[in-house]
């Protein structure tokens, strides 16, 4: 807080942007003061309230212009359901990654599947990924006490004294699993198939413009919120990218 006015304002704006992300994905719902008092005065419900904090970061690591970032994170180790939550969440193997890049190189050289099409490579990450997805494995509601640091107060964000957790929020022990299930659902609904030897590798078989038969057109690896895709140059990847933000 001893930094310049412009420096502080950059983090204030980052805090406001973070709140907008939470609103966009309907991650939490503010409770009225009377509702909050009722929960906090109930011995059982009070145990289902977990604190949160704002994590601020100088994203450019002081190597360039200031890129301020804010991430509101629940203190997941205090989750009342911690011991019974399913936290299983797989990550891709090195073998799958190696396979994808081998296929890309082959396709780049127009040697993949005996065809003449060139293949492309794309990589990116999903913005505010963990806020997407719904909570699972809870028999009772979960509540969040919002952060109350000086920057959050200056930003005027998360004004309610208590929030009902509705979606997948940062810090929860099962957040990666919840997000992973959401990724799987969207990709399978689109038409992707999950590889039998690596659950984080997905592939799409479809007809390309001008072709009579369906063929392999796209392969994807998901590592939490990071994606690597190799695809036939005649395949339009934009509909796939629009599945996520």
């Amino acid at each position: 807080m001893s930094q310049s006015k412009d420096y502080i304002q950059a983090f204030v704006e980052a805090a406001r942007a973070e709140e907008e992300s939470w609103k966009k994905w309907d991650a939490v719902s503010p409770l009225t003061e009377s509702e909050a008092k009722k929960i906090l005065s109930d011995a059982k419900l009070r145990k289902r309230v977990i604190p949160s904090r704002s994590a601020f970061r100088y994203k450019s690591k002081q190597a360039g212009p200031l890129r301020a970032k804010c991430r509101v994170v629940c203190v997941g180790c205090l989750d009342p359901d911690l011991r019974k939550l399913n936290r299983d969440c797989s990550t891709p193997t090195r073998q799958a990654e190696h396979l994808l890049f081998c296929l890309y190189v082959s396709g780049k050289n127009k040697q993949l599947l005996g065809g003449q099409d060139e293949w492309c490579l794309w990589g990116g990450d999903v913005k505010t990924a963990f806020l997407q997805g719904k909570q699972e494995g809870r028999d009772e509601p979960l509540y969040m006490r919002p952060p109350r640091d000086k920057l959050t107060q200056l930003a005027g964000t998360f004004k309610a004294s208590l929030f009902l957790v509705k979606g997948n929020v940062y810090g929860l022990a099962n957040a990666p699993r919840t997000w992973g299930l959401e990724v799987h659902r969207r990709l399978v609904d689109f038409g992707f198939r999950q590889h039998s030897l690596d659950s984080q590798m997905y592939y799409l078989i479809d007809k390309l413009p001008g072709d009579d038969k369906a063929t392999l057109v796209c392969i994807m690896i998901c590592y939490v919120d990071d994606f690597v895709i190799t695809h036939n140059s005649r395949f339009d990847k934009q509909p796939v990218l629009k599945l996520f933000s």
Side-chain angles (χ1 to χ4, degrees):
M1 298 305 295
S2 62
Q3 296 287 346
S4 68
K5 183 178 179 180
D6 289 343
Y7 186 97
I8 291 174
Q9 186 60 31
F11 283 97
V12 167
E13 294 301 324
R16 289 171 179 166
E18 175 71 355
E19 184 187 46
E20 287 303 311
S21 295
W22 283 57
K23 289 180 178 179
K24 175 183 177 180
W25 297 111
D26 197 26
V28 293
S29 178
L31 301 179
T32 64
E33 285 303 310
S34 59
E35 290 173 330
K37 288 181 180 179
K38 183 178 179 180
I39 291 167
L40 295 174
S41 61
D42 186 297
K44 183 178 179 181
L45 291 177
R46 188 167 59 241
K47 294 179 180 179
R48 302 199 60 78
V49 177
I50 59 175
S52 65
R53 73 182 187 90
S54 293
F56 296 97
R57 178 183 171 200
Y58 193 141
K59 198 170 182 182
S60 49
K61 300 179 181 178
Q62 300 179 331
L66 173 61
R67 292 175 58 203
K69 184 175 182 178
C70 172
R71 181 72 75 219
V72 173
V73 184
C74 284
V75 184
C77 60
L78 300 179
D79 191 328
D81 301 320
L82 187 62
R83 293 187 178 183
K84 63 180 183 180
L85 288 176
N86 186 341
R87 290 175 274 177
D88 292 342
C89 183
S90 60
T91 57
T93 62
R94 288 285 184 91
Q95 185 179 14
E97 184 180 355
H98 183 70
L99 174 61
L100 183 141
F101 286 119
C102 283
L103 291 169
Y104 162 65
V105 171
S106 179
K108 184 68 175 176
N109 292 321
K110 299 183 180 181
Q111 298 296 314
L112 185 59
L113 304 175
Q116 295 300 313
D117 291 332
E118 184 176 341
W119 279 57
C120 306
L121 187 68
W122 180 92
D125 65 345
V126 180
K127 188 177 181 181
T128 59
F130 279 13
L131 296 180
Q132 304 175 44
K134 298 299 180 183
Q135 278 294 309
E136 62 161 14
R138 296 184 188 275
D139 300 323
E140 300 177 83
L142 183 68
Y143 305 97
M144 181 189 83
R145 197 187 297 272
R148 284 292 179 259
D149 56 88
K150 290 184 179 180
L151 283 171
T152 299
Q153 291 175 13
L154 282 175
T157 56
F158 294 94
K159 293 181 179 180
S161 60
L162 210 60
F163 288 82
L164 171 66
V165 177
K166 298 171 65 178
N168 194 32
V169 299
Y170 292 94
L172 298 181
N174 65 335
R177 172 180 170 80
T178 303
W179 163 243
L181 292 173
E182 183 69 15
V183 170
H184 177 79
R185 182 187 66 79
R186 295 187 195 184
L187 291 178
V188 170
D189 286 349
F190 186 85
F192 276 89
R193 304 180 189 181
Q194 191 176 38
H195 200 287
S196 60
L197 298 181
D198 193 315
S199 61
Q200 296 309 106
M201 174 176 270
Y202 294 83
Y203 61 97
L204 181 65
I205 295 176
D206 201 359
K207 284 185 180 181
L208 291 169
D211 288 358
D212 296 328
K213 296 181 179 180
T215 185
L216 181 68
V217 297
C218 181
I219 305 164
M220 175 190 299
I221 284 181
C222 310
Y223 186 93
V224 192
D225 61 348
D226 291 308
F227 292 75
V228 178
I229 299 173
T230 184
H231 64 90
N232 189 299
S233 58
R234 290 194 289 142
F235 172 71
D236 182 10
K237 69 176 180 297
Q238 292 305 316
V240 176
L241 301 185
K242 288 180 180 179
L243 294 174
F244 308 96
S245 296

